[in-house]
């Protein structure tokens, strides 16, 4: 040992100059430290003692540039941040109308409200510009979490999605009411789950000079029935016949799947838990079915690939389009319908709705008096206490269950994971042992480790027991669901942006029954890439119940 060491040293001494050796060593050490060092986050996050005291809390003073270098921060408050208080319960209810049913008088008033908001100086926290920035800041990581300065606050891909957007609309609406001097004023919702309301509402598209217009929207979509399964840039996907009725009926079946079959309990509906110290919300966290589709798909539908998907098709700019607030009105309405008409059993909701980490999570907004307030998820749950309701309209998708196609299954060679999804692939996936399946447990197909570029639109569809050579449409049972990602920021011509890592969880108990496959030991899963490129780590099937039993 000693002699060989001597030999090496002599060799170096003879053939290499000492300063070259020194420089090489430095380079090696540098590469080791910066390339192979353990991720800093892991070193800094203290191991959590309990799940239940880790609610994400927004640190107002931490606001800085977003991940992509945009400045979306609101003006720093000069007064102390107060806790948000529910409005007095004696004030009159605000009734949010369906946009397509609103009369002229209402439309004129809404246009005027937005006009006044747009006329406020940009630095005013109540201005339209700041309302849009608010969404950008929470979406793209401008804030960090109280107690975890290196962890950002994110409101997509998980259980903060519904409460954050509910609050954003609440404050937006209150500000408009103040500007109109009418505290009963309520914003309209885009009733995209009901055929008469499925196009972009007229008030947003009829007059290019109005405050509700956005010139960046996809001009081909202004008067077309929305495609809830839209693949960016693909006009003939779910309704090749271009007939409006077939698109409407496909949309209804899609919404049934997302709201009913795929949303059997809170864990599935709300998406992944997200706690303080979860540093990168996007690392493995996942959105619920409604967040994916139709929420994400309709964002993309409004944007135009020719304009780089701005405004609606990029989260950093989405709230610059007034239609954003009506789109989210209906998303918010979906939350209500899910709780009041679909998953009415609190046992199936308690894994999220009883969690302190969810209830205590909070965000900061400016109220209509320019007072900065900290609003907690727990106060968002009862919308009537926030003083608003939605106009009652039909819910035509309640009985629109997708129907089985029962095609022949293909028998392509199985793929190996991880796999780059650059073509249609299939895999045979084992189901949990028969003896562990129970009525109160939902069988969940988990597509794990989905990796993709953050600033590119992504979509792929998941089919079960379908024909790989000609996958069915979303109106059929075999279509299990979709993974949809809305790009977070502009690519600014950059080829590569940051990677994100997510998952997709689809409740498939109903689907397997409807396909008469509930006695099988395996299922055939087919993944169909529709937009962008993803890598997938694996596919498994799990059983979950919200009650924790
Ligand atoms: Cu925060 Cu519709 O997005």
């Amino acid at each position: 040992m000693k002699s060989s060491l001597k030999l090496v040293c002599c060799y170096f001494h003879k053939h290499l100059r000492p300063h070259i050796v020194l420089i090489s060593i430095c380079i090696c050490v540098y590469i080791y430290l910066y390339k192979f060092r353990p991720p800093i986050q892991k070193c800094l996050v203290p191991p959590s003692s309990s799940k239940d005291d880790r609610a994400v809390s927004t640190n107002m003073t931490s606001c800085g540039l977003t991940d992509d270098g945009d400045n979306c921060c609101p003006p720093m408050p000069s007064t102390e941040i107060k806790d948000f208080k529910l409005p007095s319960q004696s004030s009159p209810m605000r009734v949010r109308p369906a946009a397509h049913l609103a009369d002229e008088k209402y439309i004129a008033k809404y246009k005027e409200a937005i006009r006044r908001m747009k006329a406020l100086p940009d630095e005013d926290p109540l201005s339209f510009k700041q309302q849009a920035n608010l969404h950008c800041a929470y979406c793209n990581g401008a804030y960090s979490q109280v107690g975890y300065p290196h962890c950002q606050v994110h409101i997509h891909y998980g259980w903060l999605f519904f409460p954050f957007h509910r609050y954003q609309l609440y404050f937006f609406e209150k500000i408009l009411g103040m500007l109109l001097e009418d505290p009963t004023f309520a914003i309209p919702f885009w009733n995209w789950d009901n055929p008469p309301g499925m196009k972009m509402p007229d008030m947003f598209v009829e007059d290019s000079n109005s405050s509700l217009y956005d010139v960046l929207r996809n001009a081909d979509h202004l008067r077309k029935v929305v495609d809830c399964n839209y693949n960016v840039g693909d006009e003939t996907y779910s309704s090749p016949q271009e007939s409006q009725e077939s698109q409407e009926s496909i949309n209804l079946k899609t919404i049934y799947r997302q709201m009913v079959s795929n949303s059997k309990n809170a864990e599935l509906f709300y998406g992944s838990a997200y706690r303080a110290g979860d540093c990168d919300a996007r690392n493995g966290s996942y959105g619920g079915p409604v967040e994916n589709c139709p929420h994400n798909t309709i964002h993309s539908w409004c944007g135009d690939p020719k304009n780089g998907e701005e405004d609606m098709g990029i989260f950093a700019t989405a709230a610059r389009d007034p239609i954003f607030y009506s789109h989210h009105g209906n998303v918010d309405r979906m939350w209500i319908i899910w709780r009041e008409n679909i998953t009415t059993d609190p046992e199936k909701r308690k894994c999220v709705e009883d969690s302190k980490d969810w209830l205590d999570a909070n965000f900061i907004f400016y109220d209509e008096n320019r007072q900065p307030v900290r609003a907690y998820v727990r106060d968002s749950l009862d919308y009537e206490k926030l003083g608003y309701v939605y106009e009652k309209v039909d819910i035509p998708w309640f009985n629109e269950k997708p129907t089985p196609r029962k095609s022949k299954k293909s028998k392509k060679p199985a793929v190996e994971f991880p796999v780059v999804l650059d073509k249609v692939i299939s895999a045979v996936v084992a189901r949990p042992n028969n003896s562990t399946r129970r009525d109160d447990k939902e069988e969940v197909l988990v597509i794990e480790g989905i990796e993709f570029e953050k600033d590119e639109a992504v979509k792929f569809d998941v089919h079960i027991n379908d024909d790989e050579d000609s996958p069915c449409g979303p109106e059929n049972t075999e279509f299990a669901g979709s993974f949809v990602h809305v790009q977070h920021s502009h690519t600014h011509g950059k080829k590569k942006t940051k990677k994100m890592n997510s998952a997709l969880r689809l409740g498939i108990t109903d689907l397997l029954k409807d396909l008469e496959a509930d006695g099988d030991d395996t299922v055939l899963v087919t993944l169909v890439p529709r937009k962008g490129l993803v890598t997938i780590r694996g596919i498994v099937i799990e059983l979950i119940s919200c009650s924790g039993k």
Side-chain angles (χ1 to χ4, degrees), residues 445-472:
L445 180 74
V446 188
I447 318 276
E448 302 176 309
I450 305 172
E451 200 180 76
F452 51 93
E453 301 284 341
K454 181 167 82 65
D455 292 334
E456 275 175 19
V458 167
K459 181 170 180 278
F460 66 85
D461 298 332
V462 182
H463 298 244
I464 286 186
N465 291 0
D466 200 9
D467 176 1
E468 184 185 71
D469 295 322
S470 67
C472 65

Side-chain angles (χ1 to χ4, degrees), residues 368-428:
E368 69 276 21
N369 304 314
R370 296 185 177 76
Q371 168 64 47
V373 293
R374 186 177 293 283
Y376 291 83
V377 167
R378 63 173 68 254
D379 292 324
S380 73
L381 206 48
D382 188 343
Y383 60 100
E384 286 181 271
K385 287 200 176 142
L386 290 171
Y388 73 89
V389 288
Y390 288 96
E391 176 184 4
K392 288 262 176 276
V393 288
D394 283 350
I395 305 181
W397 43 267
F398 270 158
N399 296 314
E400 291 292 327
K401 195 175 200 184
T403 45
R405 179 173 71 153
K406 298 255 176 71
S407 57
K408 68 168 178 51
K409 290 187 219 171
S410 53
K411 293 217 172 47
K412 289 274 166 68
V415 291
E416 289 204 1
F417 289 99
V419 67
V420 177
L421 196 59
D422 53 2
K423 57 175 183 308
V424 178
I425 62 142
S426 292
V428 175

Side-chain angles (χ1 to χ4, degrees), residues 52 158-160 163 265-273 275 335 338 346-360 377 381 546-547:
D52 260 359
W159 70 7
L160 299 185
N265 62 41
E267 190 183 328
L268 291 167
F269 178 74
Y270 286 103
S272 59
R275 301 187 164 88
W335 185 13
W338 180 77
E347 277 288 304
K348 296 197 167 152
R349 304 201 306 250
K350 70 183 203 187
C351 53
V352 174
E353 294 184 2
D354 287 0
S355 162
K356 247 177 121 299
D357 288 340
W358 187 65
L359 295 166
D360 290 343
V377 167
L381 206 48
C546 193
S547 61

Side-chain angles (χ1 to χ4, degrees), residues 135 139 155-156 161 164-165 168 295-296 299 312 315 318 324 327-328 331:
H135 185 255
C139 158
I155 42 89
H156 297 112
F161 173 73
F164 171 83
H165 292 88
Q168 175 161 27
H295 166 259
N296 283 350
H299 266 281
M312 274 286 274
F315 280 151
F324 170 91
H327 174 36
H328 270 280
V331 170

